[in-house]
Amino acid sequence: MKEGKAFLKSKMKWVGLVGLVLSVFSLFVHFLLARFTEDGFSEYQSSITIFSWRPVFEATDLSRTSPLYRRLWGPVGQLESLHPHANPKGYYADPSAQSNGYIFVRIQGGFHEIRSSICDVVAVSRFLNATLVVPEIQQTTSKKGISSQFKSFAYLYNEETFMAALAKDVNIVKTLPKSLKSARRNKEIPVFRVPYAASLYYYLHNVLPILIKHSVVELVVSDGGCLQAILPPDLEEYQSLRCRVAFHALRFRQDVQDLATNLLHRLRAPGRPFIAFDPGMTRDALAYHGCSELFQDVHAELIQHRRAWMRKRGIIKGKHSVNSAKQRLKGSCPLTPEEVGILLRAYGYSWDTIIYVSGGEVFGGQRTLIPLHGLFENVVDRTSLSTSWELSRIYGREANLDESYPRAPPSAQVETKLDAWKNSGPRPRPLPPPPARPKTYNIEGWWGWVAESDNEPESTVVELRTNAHKLLWEAIDYTVAVEADVFIPGFDSDGKGHPNFASLVMGHRLYQSAASKTYRPDRKEVVRLLDQIHSHIYHANHSWLTSIRRHMRSSLIDGLIEASNKSKSSSFLSHPVPECSCLRPNPSETLSNASTPSVHLQVHAALGVVHRCPAWMDGEKNLSSNEKDNEEDIDENDPSSSRLFLQHTRSHDAGGEDINLKEESQFEDQEEDGGD
C-alpha cells in the first residue's frame, strides 16, 4: 500500500514537471513569434479593434443625396474648376552639370517651419545653380536621443523619393565630398544665418560670391522660411518648383505614412465623413499674441513667462502685459475648442459627427477639449485611433537614456568630503555626506519652477527626444487633416507671427482639392457673434443661427480671398494660388454664362487664376453640376427658433430620447427645405 502511494506521488511529480516544461516552451515560442512576425502581429492588432475610440452614432444616417448633406459635406461649387498644376508652364532647362558649389543647410524649428524651409532652400539652390546637400534637420540629430537607425532628414521624410522627384530641378547629393566634410568639421567653410523671408538680392549679392569662391556654403535656417513668399512674375517657375517640392517630393518616411493611412482607414471605417480640427493653441502662439487670460490658472503664468522671454530676445516688440480681452475682440487670439464646436453645431453638424483633433498637443491639456467632447460624441486624435505599440514602432530602436546619459559627476566639495571621510583616523569617524538630491520644488507639478525661479529649467534629453517625436506626430496629423472631408482651424499663426501648421494644411488642401470644404472663419466676427448670446449660448435664436450660417458659408470663399492678401505675403505654401493652379471650367457653365460673368468667374478673378489647364486634363470627369449651385443656400426664412445644442443622453427612457431625436430631425428638415 505504501509502495503504491509513493509510486503515485512520483508519477504526479513527473506530470507536474512535464507540464512546467511545456509551459516554458510555449512562452518561448510566443516570444519568438512576437519578435520575428511584427507585421502579422500589427495586422492582428488592427483587426481586433483595441483602440480607445468606440464610435457612437444615431440610428439613422443622413442621405448623401440630401441638400443638407451636400451643404455640410459636399464640394464648394465655385472652386470645382480649380485644379492642381505645378508642372513647368514654359521652357524649363535641366540643372547644369557644372554647379557653382555645394549648399549645406541646417534647419531648426517645428514641423511647419521645417517643411517651409526645405521648399525654400530647393528654390534657392536652383536660383544659384548650386548642388544641394540633403538638408539636416536639427530637431532630429542623434544628440536629441533619437534612434540611431535614422539620419536627420530621413527621420521624417523619404530621402530617395525626395532626390528622385527633383532630379530634373536641382542637383542633390546625400553628403558633402570628403575634402569638404573635413573642412566643415574644422569650421573652415563660411556660414550664413539666413534672415526670415530673405530676398533674391540677398542671395545674389551676399551668398553667391562666397559660394563661387569657397565652393561650399552653410546656411542656417531657423525662422521657418529663407526666401520671400512673393516673387516677381518672371520668376513664377520658382513658385511652381516650391509646389513640386511641398506636394510631390516631400513624402513622409514609409512607416510613418503607413500609420497615417491606417488612421484614415479607421476614421472612414464607419462609412461617414469626418472633420479635422487644428486648435493652434500653442504656448508660444498664445504668448506672442498676448492671450494669457484665456486661462485662469498656472497656464496664464506660464504664458506670461514665455512672453517675457520673447521680449528679452527681441521676438516681441510690444509690452509685457497685454489686455487679452481686447486681443480676443480684435481676432488676435485663437478660437477655443468650445467656440469652434459651437460654430459647427450652429452650422448643422450633428452631435455624432466625427472630429479629428490634429496639430500636436493643445496647451492646457485635455481639460481644454472637454467642452468640445460635450458638444460632439466622436472626438478623436491619433492616440485614440492607434496603440502605443504602433506609435513606438515609428520611433525606431531607441537607447535607454538612463544608461546612455550618466548623471553629472559630483562637485569638488562633495569629493573633498568623501576623501576626508576615507582618510580620517580611527573610529568614531564622521558620517559620510548624504547623496545629492535632485532639484525639487515646493509646489507639486511640472510647472513648479514658475513660483520659485525666473528661468525655465533646461530641457532634459527625454524632453529633446519628445520634441523629435512631435515631428512624427504632426506628420501623421498633417496627412489626416489634408485628406479630411472638412477642415477648420482654431488659429492660423505661430509663436513668431508666421503662418502655422493649419496654414500649411489649408494650402495643401487648396492645391490638391480646392473644392473640398475648408472653413476660414473670421475670428473677430465670430467673437462678436458669440458675445451676443453669451448668457444663453446653448439656446440660440433663429436670427443668430442665420448669422452664423451665413458667416460660415462665406468663409469658404471670402476667407480664401482674404488669405491671398494676408497669409501669402508671409508663406507661399499657405496659399499656392494662382501659381500652382489652372482652370478647367464646366462646358455647360461656359455656354450659359457667355454673356454675363458668373460667380465662379468672379471668384477666379479675385484669386488671380488665369492659366487654362493642359489639354490632357480635359478628358477627366468633371464633377460639377448645375444643381450644386444652390446646394449651400441657407434657410433664412425659418420663423421658428431652434434649440441647437440638444444634449445627447444615454438614458433608457425611450420617450425622452424620441423627443430629442424628433427635434433634431425637425431641424434637419428645415435645413433641407432651405437648400432646395
Side-chain angles (χ1 to χ4, degrees):
M1 189 70 177
K2 291 181 179 180
E3 292 178 357
K5 289 182 178 180
F7 176 76
L8 183 61
K9 289 181 179 180
S10 175
K11 187 175 181 180
M12 292 298 293
K13 288 179 181 179
W14 278 106
V15 171
L17 181 61
V18 171
L20 182 61
V21 170
L22 290 175
S23 299
V24 172
F25 179 75
S26 176
L27 287 173
F28 178 72
V29 170
H30 278 78
F31 280 127
L32 286 178
L33 290 174
R35 172 65 180 83
F36 295 106
T37 60
E38 292 181 352
D39 294 337
F41 183 61
S42 175
E43 293 176 2
Y44 172 73
Q45 280 190 318
S46 301
S47 65
I48 60 177
T49 313
I50 56 178
F51 317 112
S52 59
W53 179 40
R54 295 293 181 270
V56 178
F57 298 114
E58 280 185 316
T60 58
D61 191 9
L62 190 62
S63 172
R64 292 179 179 270
T65 59
S66 67
L68 178 59
Y69 184 94
R70 293 199 305 269
R71 183 171 68 82
L72 297 179
W73 304 105
V76 182
Q78 296 95 318
L79 300 176
E80 282 190 302
S81 57
L82 220 59
H83 295 269
H85 183 50
N87 294 335
K89 298 176 177 64
Y91 173 74
Y92 191 77
D94 290 342
S96 174
Q98 296 293 328
S99 69
N100 290 325
Y102 293 89
I103 291 182
F104 181 87
V105 187
R106 287 190 290 126
I107 300 176
Q108 302 167 350
F111 176 87
H112 67 283
E113 294 170 320
I114 292 170
R115 194 172 182 88
S116 298
S117 299
I118 293 173
C119 299
D120 288 351
V121 298
V122 171
V124 168
S125 298
R126 180 173 177 88
F127 180 73
L128 299 179
N129 187 27
T131 299
L132 175 66
V133 181
V134 173
E136 183 178 285
I137 301 175
Q138 292 291 284
Q139 201 80 340
T140 62
T141 57
S142 58
K143 295 180 181 178
K144 311 298 184 183
I146 68 170
S147 174
S148 59
Q149 71 185 93
F150 304 113
K151 183 182 178 183
S152 190
F153 186 89
Y155 184 75
L156 185 59
Y157 293 110
N158 189 316
E159 235 177 42
E160 303 298 331
T161 302
F162 177 74
M163 296 176 66
L166 299 174
K168 294 186 177 181
D169 298 294
V170 183
N171 293 319
I172 303 178
V173 295
K174 289 189 176 182
T175 59
L176 287 168
K178 289 185 179 180
S179 59
L180 296 179
K181 273 186 180 180
S182 59
R184 181 176 178 269
R185 279 194 296 267
N186 298 329
K187 299 183 179 180
E188 296 174 354
I189 66 174
V191 179
F192 290 88
R193 289 196 167 271
V194 185
Y196 177 75
S199 66
L200 292 173
Y201 178 89
Y202 172 86
Y203 291 101
L204 199 60
H205 291 80
N206 293 280
V207 178
L208 183 58
I210 305 298
L211 175 64
I212 295 175
K213 180 179 178 180
H214 294 270
S215 299
V216 61
V217 294
E218 180 175 332
L219 305 182
V220 180
V221 185
S222 58
D223 290 329
C226 59
L227 181 63
Q228 64 191 68
I230 300 177
L231 298 177
D234 58 326
L235 298 177
E236 185 177 347
E237 289 300 345
Y238 289 94
Q239 303 289 54
S240 298
L241 175 57
R242 278 170 159 173
C243 290
R244 290 197 294 277
V245 178
F247 309 132
H248 299 279
L250 284 179
R251 299 294 182 184
F252 298 119
R253 182 161 40 98
Q254 190 59 48
D255 46 356
V256 176
Q257 187 66 45
D258 290 343
L259 180 56
T261 303
N262 289 339
L263 262 62
L264 279 169
H265 290 331
R266 292 162 192 170
L267 279 166
R268 298 195 185 280
R272 297 186 178 220
F274 72 95
I275 298 174
F277 163 53
D278 176 57
M281 295 181 66
T282 64
R283 182 186 173 197
D284 285 352
L286 293 167
Y288 182 88
H289 295 279
C291 304
S292 61
E293 294 177 16
L294 293 178
F295 302 90
Q296 300 298 328
D297 53 12
V298 70
H299 292 90
E301 193 72 22
L302 287 167
I303 295 170
Q304 286 295 86
H305 189 281
R306 192 65 171 179
R307 185 172 175 84
W309 179 88
M310 289 179 169
R311 289 185 73 245
K312 289 179 182 179
R313 284 154 181 79
I315 301 175
I316 296 176
K317 305 297 183 182
K319 299 179 181 179
H320 173 65
S321 298
V322 181
N323 189 326
S324 298
K326 290 184 178 179
Q327 291 293 97
R328 177 176 174 272
L329 290 175
K330 291 191 301 182
S332 299
C333 291
L335 295 176
T336 64
E338 180 182 16
E339 291 169 342
V340 172
I342 291 172
L343 289 180
L344 294 175
R345 289 299 306 273
Y347 195 63
Y349 293 99
S350 61
W351 60 266
D352 61 349
T353 301
I354 303 172
I355 296 183
Y356 182 89
V357 181
S358 66
E361 297 180 359
V362 180
F363 188 71
Q366 290 296 317
R367 184 198 64 174
T368 311
L369 296 173
I370 289 176
L372 184 64
H373 283 271
L375 291 167
F376 292 94
E377 187 70 31
N378 299 306
V379 178
V380 296
D381 59 13
R382 63 181 175 278
T383 60
S384 55
L385 290 171
S386 61
T387 65
S388 58
W389 180 85
E390 285 178 312
L391 289 173
S392 62
R393 187 182 179 188
I394 65 175
Y395 305 149
R397 298 179 182 276
E398 295 179 327
N400 189 332
L401 293 179
D402 293 334
E403 297 176 1
S404 302
Y405 299 90
R407 299 180 185 278
S411 64
Q413 184 179 3
V414 173
E415 290 183 349
T416 303
K417 290 181 179 180
L418 288 172
D419 292 339
W421 179 74
K422 292 177 181 177
N423 300 327
S424 60
R427 293 179 182 278
R429 295 185 295 175
L431 294 174
R437 294 184 178 181
K439 175 64 177 175
T440 57
Y441 302 97
N442 294 331
I443 301 178
E444 185 178 359
W446 59 269
W447 38 263
W449 56 269
V450 174
E452 299 186 4
S453 174
D454 291 333
N455 299 317
E456 296 189 29
E458 293 184 2
S459 298
T460 64
V461 181
V462 175
E463 291 171 336
L464 294 176
R465 173 185 282 182
T466 302
N467 290 336
H469 290 174
K470 287 179 181 178
L471 296 179
L472 302 179
W473 301 344
E474 294 191 355
I476 294 170
D477 290 346
Y478 184 88
T479 303
V480 175
V482 167
E483 297 293 335
D485 299 277
V486 172
F487 179 77
I488 182 169
F491 204 43
D492 57 1
S493 182
D494 65 3
K496 297 178 182 177
H498 305 153
N500 64 355
F501 174 92
S503 295
L504 291 194
V505 170
M506 289 188 286
H508 197 149
R509 289 171 62 87
L510 178 61
Y511 170 81
Q512 179 175 292
S513 53
S516 60
K517 272 192 166 55
T518 301
Y519 296 110
R520 294 174 173 85
D522 181 352
R523 293 185 297 277
K524 182 178 179 180
E525 178 66 14
V526 169
V527 169
R528 185 187 69 80
L529 290 171
L530 290 174
D531 286 348
Q532 288 180 358
I533 60 164
H534 182 71
S535 59
H536 53 283
I537 199 164
Y538 290 100
H539 301 279
N541 56 44
H542 171 66
S543 62
W544 184 84
L545 289 176
T546 301
S547 299
I548 285 289
R549 294 169 193 168
R550 185 184 297 114
H551 175 73
M552 288 289 285
R553 179 191 177 189
S554 65
S555 73
L556 295 169
I557 300 299
D558 294 346
L560 179 59
I561 297 174
E562 177 67 21
S564 66
N565 302 321
K566 180 182 176 182
S567 300
K568 187 171 183 175
S569 59
S570 300
S571 171
F572 172 74
L573 295 183
S574 66
H575 191 84
V577 172
E579 294 86 349
C580 298
S581 296
C582 64
L583 287 176
R584 187 164 60 90
N586 187 17
S588 60
E589 178 190 340
T590 304
L591 293 174
S592 61
N593 296 285
S595 58
T596 305
S598 67
V599 177
H600 300 63
L601 296 179
Q602 294 174 6
V603 171
H604 300 156
L607 296 175
V609 183
V610 295
H611 293 294
R612 301 283 298 201
C613 291
W616 60 266
M617 297 180 66
D618 292 339
E620 297 180 3
K621 184 179 179 181
N622 198 324
L623 298 178
S624 61
S625 58
N626 293 331
E627 67 176 6
K628 292 184 179 179
D629 292 339
N630 300 322
E631 69 186 19
E632 295 177 351
D633 289 344
I634 299 177
D635 183 9
E636 299 178 2
N637 300 317
D638 180 11
S640 64
S641 297
S642 300
R643 289 188 57 194
L644 177 65
F645 306 111
L646 298 171
Q647 298 297 323
H648 171 65
T649 59
R650 298 182 182 178
S651 75
H652 297 284
D653 185 1
E657 190 167 323
D658 289 341
I659 292 174
N660 283 348
L661 291 176
K662 182 178 180 180
E663 289 181 358
E664 289 202 12
S665 63
Q666 181 182 1
F667 168 72
E668 292 178 359
D669 291 340
Q670 293 167 352
E671 289 292 331
E672 291 184 18
D673 294 339
D676 292 336

